Amino acid sequence: MEAAAGGPSMRGTVDDGAEAEAGELLPFLALGARADLQAAAVRHVLALTGSGPGRALLGRQAALLRALAELAASRAPAPACDAARALVNLAADPGLHEPLLAADPGLLARLLGRALDPQWPWADEAAAALANLSREPAPCAAVMGVLEAAEPGEPALERLVRALCTPGYNARAPLHYLAPLLSNLSQRPAARSFLLDSDRCVIQRLLPLIQAADSSVRRGGVVGTLRNCCFEHRHHEWLLGPEVDILPFLLLPLAGPGDFPEEEMERLPVDLQYLPPDKQREPDADIRKMLIEAIMLLTATAPGRQQVRHQGAYLVLRELHSWEPEPAVRVACEKLIQVLIGDEPECGMENLLEVQVPEDVEQRLQQLDHHEQEQCEQEQQVQEGPALP
Amino acid sequence: MKKAPSEINPRESPDLACLQSIIFDDERSPEEQAKTYKDEGNDYFKEKDYKKAMISYTEGLKKKCADTDLNVVLYTNRAAAQYHLGNFRSALQDVMAARKLKPCHLKAVVRGALCHLELRNFAEAVSWCDEGLQIDGKEKKLLDTRVKADKLKRMAQRDLRKAKLKEKKEQDQNETLIQAIQARNIRLVSGAAGEDEDSASEGPGALSLDGPDAENPCGARVTLDEQGRLGWPVLFLYPEYAQSDFISAFHEDSRFIDHLMVMFAETPSWDVEQKYCPDNLQVYFEDEERAELYRVPPENTLLQTLQHSRYSVKALTPAFLVCVGSSPFCKNFLQGRKVHQVK
């Protein structure tokens, strides 16, 4: 989702002149305006949304926002697409949520409608805007509310899950951004309740998406959703059991080619056996970290730990640890390994971290650890910046 | 009628026959007749007489009545009967016919998923389950079938990966073996008569290590040990008594005499003259192309002999002739033939 696309950009300085200029765009953004002027005006607005001051400026122009929201629903492709993208950028800025929703109270419902419309060409942009909006608790609750009100007979999230999981649901839009939207919604107990309903088949349909090669946004959203679901301790037994069998799906992206001796191989879950020599691990470090976090959550209870051990997690994590280039992920991996080989000893397992460390060296190591952690955190903050690239 | 109507003898039970003729009277509407056939089929079904049930349903469908729902049920029920008869493809056809009339008929979807499961179309089975669960998200049979089908699908994928890896491993092993043999300049010849392949001049893999060429009576194959040395299955032929010995793993660096000492520590049962002692034995190989014999000093290693310019390994199983040098047989055997002495 690029911020700026053609047209003059107004960066840096914002003054009354700029405000007035922005206001002058308004007539050209009206639905009946001349097509070429309208397209140019929208492009201009899109360029504005690329910068903080630009967005702030737009945030003060309620009528402009309203017009933009209208245009995003337009049948005319050029303005609709740019308007949709402008909304995405605006939605990425938490400071703009209130002005946006104040300018267009029905925005969430209409965005949802478009995101889930199998014919709508800019459905992914609508989904992205919703994904951005739902990062904040209030809009998130509001989206949930809209979903619940939409189809009284059907569970609120069913359409969303279906749109995400059905290949070719929308022939003109990939709908990857439904995944981060779902991830945000899964922060709410009601959403998790539906996802974890053992009388239904919901979470099972998400599992294959972990391997979606075409989009890290999709993969990340799905893994985030699953991780949030793993907070529900009461469902661990079901999640780890045969009806869902979540663990192999979480381990597969962390597994490399793994040439294990036959005996060890046969003890791994079916999905991890005999992986080809060119097996790639999940390329996105953040997603790898979320996967490890999800598995870590599943080890919260003793029976859960048993299951995770029993299903071959240690082998995969051991190999991952020696391969893992990202320090933050490596640390998470170590912590999980420690849990797996921890106080309930199982014979036959190597203790990767078994080292007798003298006390003064131990202290130095801890200091280094702390320093490393700080560095990792700094790096992450720099990355997080604007919500969507 | 509590029992399903079987063949009714009008003479024995005229009332029943009369009733039946009323029920199956052609003057009734097609819908009514079809419904009767449906009920009849259901009765047979309950008695697990699936063949008769199928026939009844077929009769009902033949009426081509206008009641879509009835036809949907007839197709679906016939599919169930076919399923229990093990005719899964026919059952699938019926289910698809039912769904063509009424796409959301859940029983048809369930049956279809079960058929795909039996036919081992696991991905299709899962797909049908998902379709069915869109109609009723809590359908227990669909949930269970989906779990089963998904598990079986993943196991089938594992089996495929396993087979692929095994094949690759074997290919690599064969490659290494062929290269080792070629590096030694050992001439290989196919087992089939009249075929000659000079592996020294052709590319790698010219001779396949699979198939009939690699097979010998005991199924033993050429092997490469950890030190990179070859071990061959070797045939010793004793033309005097039309006997043979098979050494399954003759290390290429071991000498003929080493093996002969062990094998002839005691004279074999067929050696009536008890003359086959290690000291007496002579080893020959035949150059088939020129019909000439070569005498091999027993102190030579197998490798040295195989590398002889006139030696060809046939069907990946080196063969040698052994007889007692001083014996009349041997003298006779060698008469009129050109014999070379290998150094």
Side-chain angles (χ1 to χ4, degrees):
Chain A
M1 295 286 142
E2 285 84 49
S9 52
M10 287 174 62
R11 299 184 190 216
T13 53
V14 175
D15 48 34
D16 289 330
E19 298 259 5
E21 252 189 64
E24 279 168 28
L25 286 171
L26 193 54
F28 300 107
L29 294 171
L31 280 176
R34 212 177 94 182
D36 54 343
L37 294 174
Q38 191 187 61
V42 179
R43 237 175 292 131
H44 192 91
V45 171
L46 175 58
L48 275 175
T49 65
S51 76
R55 286 194 292 272
L57 165 66
L58 289 168
R60 292 190 284 273
Q61 307 265 343
L64 223 152
L65 291 177
R66 211 165 15 247
L68 197 65
E70 294 273 350
L71 275 177
S74 151
R75 296 264 147 208
C81 180
D82 285 342
R85 289 186 178 159
L87 282 178
V88 172
N89 289 346
L90 290 169
D93 192 331
L96 284 200
H97 288 182
E98 213 192 287
L100 263 174
L101 294 173
D104 184 1
L107 181 63
L108 292 178
R110 295 186 326 155
L111 282 172
L112 252 167
R114 293 203 290 276
L116 297 176
D117 180 350
Q119 310 294 330
W120 190 249
W122 322 116
D124 219 1
E125 281 81 357
L130 283 167
N132 282 346
L133 285 162
S134 59
R135 284 165 69 99
E136 298 298 309
C140 186
V143 172
M144 209 47 201
V146 173
L147 280 168
E148 277 157 2
E151 217 129 324
E154 203 181 41
L157 288 181
E158 172 54 42
R159 260 179 77 206
L160 179 51
V161 172
R162 187 178 311 167
L164 184 58
C165 298
T166 310
Y169 178 90
N170 182 327
R172 292 185 264 183
L175 300 182
H176 298 313
Y177 282 92
L178 287 178
L181 171 58
L182 185 62
S183 177
N184 291 340
L185 292 172
S186 69
Q187 291 172 335
R188 305 184 58 80
R192 290 199 295 279
S193 220
F194 171 68
L195 291 166
L196 295 169
D197 189 346
S198 56
D199 288 335
R200 292 177 182 279
C201 174
V202 187
I203 198 169
Q204 295 93 325
R205 281 147 54 193
L206 293 175
L207 297 175
L209 299 180
I210 302 178
Q211 293 282 92
D214 51 349
S215 166
S216 65
V217 168
R218 178 177 283 254
R219 290 196 309 273
V222 169
V223 173
T225 307
L226 294 171
R227 184 197 51 180
N228 290 347
C229 287
C230 286
F231 276 98
E232 301 288 337
H233 295 188
R234 290 171 300 130
H235 290 85
H236 281 184
E237 195 181 328
W238 174 71
L239 282 172
L240 289 166
E243 285 169 23
V244 182
D245 202 14
I246 196 175
L247 188 62
F249 288 92
L250 294 174
L251 286 172
L252 187 58
L254 297 173
D259 195 8
F260 302 115
E262 179 112 8
E263 200 198 273
E264 279 185 353
M265 188 74 86
E266 294 286 328
R267 279 191 293 170
L268 286 170
V270 162
D271 309 272
L272 299 171
Q273 289 181 9
Y274 304 104
L275 295 174
D278 57 359
K279 166 75 173 60
Q280 299 292 331
R281 288 184 167 91
E282 164 59 60
D284 188 313
D286 288 330
I287 299 179
R288 289 199 299 275
K289 185 145 173 286
M290 280 198 290
L291 286 164
I292 296 175
E293 285 163 3
I295 302 174
M296 181 69 100
L297 286 165
L298 291 169
T299 63
T301 67
R305 269 196 300 284
Q306 273 279 61
Q307 274 282 57
V308 173
R309 278 192 202 115
H310 183 69
Q311 291 184 31
Y314 171 72
L315 218 59
V316 173
L317 290 165
R318 184 190 73 191
E319 298 298 302
L320 174 67
H321 186 269
S322 52
W323 169 91
E324 181 56 61
E326 283 295 317
V329 185
R330 211 173 28 239
V331 165
C333 184
E334 275 168 21
K335 292 203 175 121
L336 180 50
I337 289 177
Q338 269 177 321
V339 168
L340 291 180
I341 62 178
D343 48 36
E344 297 133 330
E346 194 180 299
C347 52
M349 288 231 259
E350 294 165 8
N351 189 337
L352 178 70
L353 305 162
E354 185 171 272
V355 167
Q356 289 289 19
V357 185
E359 206 181 274
D360 56 339
V361 180
E362 171 82 66
Q363 278 183 1
R364 273 245 333 268
L365 284 176
Q366 278 181 1
Q367 281 176 356
L368 284 171
D369 253 356
H370 188 68
H371 184 63
E372 199 182 5
Q373 189 127 353
E374 280 182 327
Q375 272 192 329
C376 290
E377 275 164 7
Q378 277 177 7
E379 277 173 50
Q380 235 188 359
Q381 274 177 357
V382 170
Q383 276 173 12
E384 230 158 36
L388 288 165
Chain B
M1 290 203 286
K2 274 200 202 149
K3 245 183 67 181
S6 35
E7 299 302 313
I8 296 173
N9 189 329
R11 263 185 238 111
E12 284 179 21
S13 28
D15 301 322
L16 216 50
C18 182
L19 264 173
Q20 197 176 40
S21 72
I22 293 173
I23 290 167
F24 290 103
D25 184 358
D26 271 350
E27 281 184 22
R28 295 160 75 233
S29 74
E31 286 74 24
E32 285 178 323
Q33 292 183 58
K35 180 170 186 309
T36 309
Y37 278 119
K38 180 201 82 170
D39 292 334
E40 185 185 68
N42 289 352
D43 286 336
Y44 281 130
F45 197 99
K46 277 190 209 117
E47 285 199 349
K48 300 198 198 292
D49 195 338
Y50 300 117
K51 192 120 211 283
K52 292 220 179 95
M54 188 196 73
I55 294 171
S56 299
Y57 295 135
T58 307
E59 289 302 310
L61 284 165
K62 273 195 199 160
K63 294 295 164 189
K64 293 194 194 292
C65 75
D67 187 346
T68 312
D69 284 336
L70 182 54
N71 286 329
V72 168
V73 171
L74 282 166
Y75 273 123
T76 309
N77 289 5
R78 189 169 74 175
Q82 291 281 40
Y83 176 87
H84 287 285
L85 289 168
N87 304 332
F88 303 118
R89 284 186 212 282
S90 306
L92 253 180
Q93 279 182 353
D94 278 341
V95 155
M96 293 204 269
R99 288 193 73 196
K100 217 167 163 189
L101 296 172
K102 196 170 165 196
C104 294
H105 194 66
L106 200 56
K107 282 199 175 146
V109 181
V110 175
R111 184 61 54 194
L114 290 171
C115 287
H116 278 302
L117 189 60
E118 291 297 323
L119 291 168
R120 299 184 69 83
N121 304 335
F122 301 129
E124 282 289 311
V126 170
S127 179
W128 277 62
C129 287
D130 283 338
E131 277 184 53
L133 287 166
Q134 277 184 31
I135 302 167
D136 176 3
K138 296 194 175 195
E139 225 293 334
K140 195 81 179 65
K141 196 88 185 113
L142 286 174
L143 290 170
D144 291 341
T145 308
R146 193 189 191 277
V147 172
K148 246 186 244 162
D150 192 61
K151 185 75 188 174
L152 287 167
K153 181 180 86 174
R154 286 148 61 195
M155 281 171 76
Q157 285 170 339
R158 184 273 314 263
D159 292 338
L160 209 67
R161 291 197 301 269
K162 189 173 177 180
K164 237 176 151 176
L165 270 170
K166 188 167 169 218
E167 199 188 308
K168 178 87 185 13
K169 200 168 167 195
E170 276 176 11
Q171 271 181 2
D172 288 345
Q173 279 177 344
N174 284 356
E175 256 304 300
T176 319
L177 269 175
I178 297 262
Q179 279 175 10
I181 294 172
Q182 287 184 330
R184 288 157 171 69
N185 272 317
I186 295 172
R187 197 142 59 115
L188 295 175
V189 156
S190 135
E195 266 181 62
D196 234 289
E197 285 172 61
D198 191 336
S199 70
S201 59
E202 287 191 22
L207 199 64
S208 155
L209 282 174
D210 303 313
D213 281 350
E215 289 291 297
N216 51 47
C218 301
R221 300 171 79 243
V222 198
T223 53
L224 195 65
D225 70 11
E226 279 167 14
Q227 283 77 42
R229 309 307 299 164
L230 289 172
W232 294 84
V234 170
L235 264 176
F236 279 359
L237 303 163
Y238 312 108
E240 183 173 1
Y241 291 101
Q243 291 286 337
S244 64
D245 271 323
F246 180 75
I247 301 134
S248 55
F250 194 132
H251 192 287
E252 64 182 346
D253 297 321
S254 61
R255 309 172 304 161
F256 284 89
I257 188 66
D258 298 325
H259 289 269
L260 292 173
M261 298 275 279
V262 171
M263 290 159 68
F264 290 91
E266 285 175 16
T267 59
S269 52
W270 46 260
D271 181 16
V272 288
E273 293 174 17
Q274 300 219 334
K275 61 183 191 281
Y276 277 71
C277 308
D279 292 334
N280 301 345
L281 299 174
Q282 288 181 345
V283 182
Y284 295 85
F285 72 77
E286 186 166 3
D287 177 353
E288 284 187 20
E289 215 176 71
R290 297 180 187 164
E292 293 173 1
L293 290 171
Y294 286 78
R295 185 167 156 201
V296 181
E299 297 74 28
N300 278 19
T301 64
L302 178 64
L303 178 59
Q304 285 172 307
T305 318
L306 294 181
Q307 286 179 318
H308 192 279
S309 57
R310 297 309 308 168
Y311 190 89
S312 303
V313 178
K314 204 166 167 187
L316 290 165
T317 307
F320 299 95
L321 303 160
V322 177
C323 55
V324 174
S326 51
S327 69
F329 170 82
C330 193
K331 293 192 169 64
N332 201 20
F333 184 69
L334 298 175
Q335 192 159 52
R337 305 187 69 165
K338 188 123 184 238
V339 186
H340 306 266
Q341 175 72 40
V342 172
K343 318 256 185 321

